Amino acid sequence: MQPQKTEQFTVPIGPQHPALKEPSSFLISVDGEVVTNAIVRLGYAHRGIEKATESRTYVQNLYLLERICGICSHIHGTAFAMGVERLAGVEVPPRAQAIRLIIAELERIHSHMLWLGVGAHQGGFDALFMFSWRDRETVMDLLESISGNRVNYSANVLGGVKFDLTAAHIGDILKALDYLEERTHHYLKVVTTDASFLQRTRGIGTMTRHQAEVLGAIGPTARASGVLRDVRIEAPYGAYVDHPVTTITDDRGDLEARFAVRIKELFESYRLIREVLDDLPPGDIKTRVKRKIPEGEAAFRVEAPRGELFYFIKSDGTDIPSRVKVRTPTICNMTSVVKLAVGHQLADVPMILAGIDPCFSCNDRMVRVNRNNGSDGWTWEQLRQHGIEYYKQRSQDYDPLVVG
Amino acid sequence: MKFGMMFKDVSGALFKKPFTENYPAEPTETPDRLRGSLVWDPDSCTGCGLCARDCPAMAIEIEVIDKKAKHYQMTYHIDRCTFCGQCVESCNQGSLVMEGGEWELASLSREPFTEVGERPPLVVEETE
Amino acid sequence: MSSNLSKPWQAALDQITTWARINSPWAIHFNSGSCNGCDIEILATLTPRYDLERFGIKLQGSPRHADVLICTGPVSRQARERLIRTYEQMHEPKFVVAVGACALSGGIFQGCYNVMDGVENVIPVDAYIPGCPPRPEAIIDGIVKLLGSLQEPPADETDAGETIAAAAGEIAAAPHAGSEHG
Ligand code: SF4
Ligand code: SF4
Ligand code: SF4
C-alpha cells in the first residue's frame, strides 16, 4: 500500500490560552495527532528589567529583581544580594544566612507543591491539583507570618535579612513540616501508583541522560534524567556550606521521574529546615552595606527551585550597577521541551511543558546583537576559547563542574 | 497499580468541616507582621527623604515646604506601592509603619489611592 | 439600541439579566507580562481555601464567554495587542479588574522601556486591587465590591446603566431577528 500523503497542520497555542497561566506562544506542527515540530515564541513577559537595573540604585534593584518571578522571588533577591555583598566585601552574619536558607527552602516547598498541582491539572487530575494547593496554603501561611507578604516576601536587605525568627515561628514551622511530610508521603504514593495518572506520565517525554547533558537541562529536570547538577552541592553558598544537601536523582527521565524527583526533594527540604532550625546561630541579622559599591565584577550562582540561577553584576563604584545579567533556569530547559515534544501526541504537549516547571516571566530576557557596527556574534569555539583564557588570566579557581 | 488513589481524600472531605474561609462574611485572621498600607507619623519625621529615595516604585514623595518650621508634606501612592517594606527599613526615625496596615484596598476608582499627609508648620518662637 | 418589548417587560428583563450577571459572572484571566505573583494568587482564589466559585465565578478559557477580564501585569509592548484583542472579543457589558501594583500603575516596573505602565493606559478599568501581590482575600474583596456596584443601577442613567440596558436589549432583539429570517 502506498503511504498516504499526509498534510502538515500547524496548531498555534497561546499567547492567551486556558492551559497556560502565563503568556507564551507555541507553534506546533502536527501530522494527524503526532507532533512533528514545535516552535516556541517568547517575549510576551519581557519587561526590560536588566536595562532598568542600570538606572536604579542597588537597594531599589533588590526589589526589582525579586519581581522577575513571583514564584522564586526570594532566590532572585538572594542571588543579587549575595553578589553585591561579595563585591562590597561584607560578611553576612550566620543567623541571616540561616534565615535565608530557611526561607529559600520554604519557597522551594511552595514552588514544588504549586508545580505538583499545575502538573496534575494538565494531566486532568484535578483532585490532586486541589488537594496539593490546599496543603500549599500551610507553607504560604508560614511565609506570610514570617515575612508579612504571601508571595514577594522581600526578606533580603543588602547585608542580611529584614526579619528574625521568633520561638513562635519556629514552633509553627516544625508543626507545619510534620503535617506536610505526612501529606507528601501520600502524594508520592499517588503519583507513583495511581494507574490513570501513570498513563499520562510513564514513558512520556523521556529524556535520556545524554540528551539532558547535550540539551543543557538543569535543575530537577536534569536530575530526573540522572544528571547530578545542583549548585547547592557543586558550589555551596551561604548556609549550605554547613548544611550539605543530598541530591535526589532518577534514571528514568520520563515525566513520572520528574514528578518523583520533585516530590522527593520536598523531603530533603523538610530535613534541611529541621536541621538548620535545630541549631539556629544566635546574633545579628544584618550588617551595614555602604550605598556605594566598590568597583568590580561578581558572578553568583544559586539553586532556584527550577535549577541554576546565575547573576552577573558589574559595578563602577557608584550606587547604581553598570550591568546586571540574569540567566534563569527555564530558558535552559526550554530547548528540551521543543525536542521532546516531537513524536508525542498533541495532548501530551502541555504535560511535557509542565514537566520542566516553566516560568515564562523568568524566561523573557533579551540579548541584542548589534550587527551594524561589525560586532558579529562569536562562534561557540571562539567563546569557549575566550572563556578559558579569561579565567586563566585571572587565575581563578573555577568550581569544577561535575558533568557526566 | 491502583485506581482512584485520591478517592479517599475526596470522599473524606465531604464529612469534614469545610476548609474554605467564609471570607467576606467573616473577617479573616491576619498575621501580625502583615504588611499593609503605609502609616506615616508626621511628628517624628525629619523630612530627610531617605524613604522616597530608596522606594523602588517611587511611591513616596516627601516635600519640604519649610525646612525651618519643619513643615513637610508626604504623598503616598498606594497604587504604586509594592509593599516591600524598604521605606520602613530606611527610615531611622521610625516614622513609618506597615505592620497591621489596611490591606482590603480594592476600589472602583483611583481616588483613594493617593494619600497626602502634612506635618503642620511649627510656630517658630522668637527667642532672643 | 431599541427593542420591541414594552416597557414593563423590558424592565423585568433588565432585572433578570442583572441578577444573572451578578450571581454568575464568568471571568477570564489575562497575564500581560506580570511577575506571576498575582497570577498564582488569582489561581489560589479558585482553590479550596478561598473558593471563588462560591460567588458563581467561573474562570473561562475564551474571552467570548466572559463578563469580567481579570488582568495582571504592567502590559508589555508585545502583550498589548493581545490584550486589546481579548478585550474586544468580549461581549458588552464587560468589566475589567486590574490586579496588582503593576497593573494599576506599572508598580515596580514603571519606566521600563518595554511596558505600558498599567492596564489603564490600554483599556478602561472598572475595579482596582492594589497589592504586590494582593492577598487572595483582597482579590475576593475587589470582586465583591465590583459585583456590589452592579447591583445598584446608577441613579442617573450613566455609562454602566446604559450598557447593561443596551445589552439586555440586544439579547431581547436577537431571537426576534432570528425568527424573521427563519
Ligand atoms: S513599601 Fe516599598 S514600594 Fe511601598 S512605599 Fe515603602 S519602599 Fe515604596
Ligand atoms: S525616612 Fe523617615 S524621617 Fe526621613 S522623610 Fe521618610 S519618614 Fe521622614
Ligand atoms: S503587582 Fe507585584 S506581584 Fe503582582 S505581578 Fe506585579 S510585580 Fe508581580
Side-chain angles (χ1 to χ4, degrees), chain A residues 173-234:
Chain A
I173 295 177
L174 292 175
K175 215 164 76 198
L177 289 187
D178 289 341
Y179 170 73
L180 285 171
E181 187 148 28
E182 183 203 316
R183 293 298 302 172
T184 314
H185 277 295
H186 177 61
Y187 293 138
L188 183 61
K189 219 162 97 195
V190 172
V191 299
T192 50
T193 53
D194 191 277
S196 49
F197 194 56
L198 278 180
Q199 291 194 336
R200 298 291 320 258
T201 58
R202 188 164 280 177
I204 305 282
T206 311
M207 177 159 62
T208 60
R209 185 180 170 142
H210 175 71
Q211 269 178 318
E213 276 166 8
V214 170
L215 295 174
I218 52 174
T221 315
R223 296 199 280 272
S225 295
V227 182
L228 198 142
R229 211 172 267 175
D230 189 331
V231 183
R232 293 175 293 171
I233 290 171
E234 291 165 8

Side-chain angles (χ1 to χ4, degrees), chain B residues 4-19:
Chain B
M5 289 288 294
M6 294 294 287
F7 186 73
K8 225 172 97 196
D9 300 64
V10 178
S11 54
L14 281 175
F15 304 102
K16 287 202 191 117
K17 212 171 99 237
F19 194 79

Side-chain angles (χ1 to χ4, degrees), chain A residues 234-279:
Chain A
E234 291 165 8
Y237 52 94
Y240 289 106
V241 178
D242 303 325
H243 301 280
V245 269
T246 0
T247 315
I248 286 100
T249 52
D250 200 309
D251 297 328
R252 285 168 298 173
D254 58 355
L255 275 172
E256 190 196 352
R258 282 173 221 160
F259 272 90
V261 162
R262 285 208 176 83
I263 294 179
K264 283 178 189 159
E265 272 181 18
L266 290 176
F267 295 120
E268 186 58 22
S269 293
Y270 302 149
R271 186 194 65 74
L272 206 61
I273 294 173
R274 286 205 186 100
E275 188 185 306
V276 177
L277 281 180
D278 242 8
D279 63 337

Side-chain angles (χ1 to χ4, degrees), chain A residues 59-60 63 67 125 134 144 146-149 152-153 162-164 169 183 186 193-195 286 291 319, chain B residues 1-6 9-10 13 19 31 33-35 50 53-56 82-86 89:
Chain A
V59 177
Q60 291 173 322
Y63 301 100
R67 282 162 180 80
F125 198 176
R134 187 193 79 177
E144 192 181 28
I146 295 170
S147 72
N149 209 353
N152 291 314
Y153 334 106
K162 277 202 196 98
F163 322 100
D164 205 352
H169 287 137
R183 293 298 302 172
H186 177 61
T193 53
D194 191 277
K286 58 189 143 200
R291 273 170 194 273
D319 60 351
Chain B
M1 284 238 193
K2 287 183 204 149
F3 283 98
M5 289 288 294
M6 294 294 287
D9 300 64
V10 178
F19 194 79
R33 286 187 180 174
L34 180 79
R35 294 199 291 265
L50 271 183
R53 188 175 152 192
D54 279 347
C55 174
T82 57
F83 302 87
C84 66
Q86 177 60 39
E89 193 71 24

